[in-house]
Amino acid sequence: MYPLIKRLLDFLLAASALLLLSPLLLLVVLIIKLHDNGSVFFSQQRVGRYGHPFTLFKFRTMTEQARDAAQQVFQQSADVTKPGYWLRRFKIDELPQLFNVLTGDLSLIGPRPCLPQTLDEFGEDAAIRHSVRPGLTGLAQVNGNIHLSWQQRLAFDLTYVKQLSLMLDLKILLRTVAVVMFGEQWGKKS
């Protein structure tokens, strides 16, 4: 029963957030265009529920040079634009993914969607991890995110799938607000 309620909540919350945040979204579009006149959005193929591919959208925060998509890029990288630093710092670059939530490709909470080329790294656990919709934020993101190894992220993802509940989703949502406010270091486990 909870997956159906979760989908309904995802849709209603994403639609409400897009409506409320539309002035901010338009401002970001303008800032990106004024900075370097490049494309506003970045899109990338990701793996969704049951392993189905979908196109994920973000605001573009990096230069448009070719790079390895699987390479982790940190905020201080020379590839990150000046406005991109702030968009990443406050997770504003992720807001276009609310459209992915509306279409059902993403949930607000769940394991982050992986790149197709990294799917093999999950081994036998891939089926468990991908039995739920991937999310905008998840248990790994509020427990260290980029400071975690892939195995640690996978462990958090599997824990999430096995303990899926409204209370866990609310806890992750509240912790996500803290990570956005105080930065990635806040969620990092010592």
Side-chain angles (χ1 to χ4, degrees):
M1 183 67 170
Y2 180 59
L4 183 61
I5 293 169
K6 181 177 172 71
R7 177 67 191 122
L8 180 62
L9 286 172
D10 281 343
F11 186 86
L12 293 174
L13 291 172
S16 299
L18 283 167
L19 186 63
L20 289 171
L21 296 171
S22 59
L24 173 64
L25 299 175
L26 291 172
L27 179 63
V28 171
V29 167
L30 183 63
I31 289 169
I32 293 171
K33 272 310 217 184
L34 288 175
H35 180 262
D36 65 7
N37 203 32
S39 60
V40 172
F41 297 102
F42 168 77
S43 64
Q44 190 175 56
Q45 283 295 113
R46 295 290 180 102
V47 178
R49 189 174 187 193
Y50 305 127
H52 295 125
F54 72 97
T55 303
L56 178 126
F57 297 98
K58 292 184 177 189
F59 282 121
R60 184 177 60 83
T61 61
M62 299 191 329
T63 61
E64 295 192 280
Q65 298 172 356
R67 67 186 52 79
D68 179 6
Q71 180 73 32
Q72 183 76 50
V73 177
F74 295 93
Q75 289 172 313
Q76 299 81 7
S77 169
D79 287 336
V80 176
T81 65
K82 286 183 182 184
Y85 171 84
W86 295 105
L87 296 175
R88 284 173 167 242
R89 164 59 188 87
F90 292 104
K91 306 293 185 198
I92 296 168
D93 64 319
E94 308 281 351
L95 291 178
Q97 291 171 52
L98 289 169
F99 290 105
N100 289 114
V101 174
L102 286 180
T103 64
D105 290 327
L106 284 180
S107 177
L108 291 175
I109 315 286
R112 283 296 292 159
C114 68
L115 295 166
Q117 60 266 37
T118 62
L119 190 57
D120 291 339
E121 295 177 26
F122 297 115
E124 296 174 5
D125 293 323
I128 297 169
R129 184 185 190 277
H130 292 99
S131 66
V132 297
R133 278 187 184 84
L136 260 170
T137 186
L139 197 54
Q141 285 63 48
V142 298
N143 283 289
N145 196 17
I146 60 173
H147 303 287
L148 300 173
S149 69
W150 287 110
Q151 285 304 319
Q152 290 170 313
R153 290 184 201 190
L154 177 59
F156 278 116
D157 292 344
L158 296 176
T159 298
Y160 175 79
V161 172
K162 293 173 185 172
Q163 296 179 4
L164 184 65
S165 69
L166 177 60
M167 289 309 295
L168 180 58
D169 280 356
L170 289 174
K171 179 181 174 184
I172 293 168
L173 191 60
L174 290 174
R175 289 188 63 154
T176 297
V177 171
V179 168
V180 169
M181 297 297 294
F182 303 112
E184 293 279 348
Q185 292 293 333
W186 184 87
K188 185 178 175 183
K189 298 292 183 184
S190 325

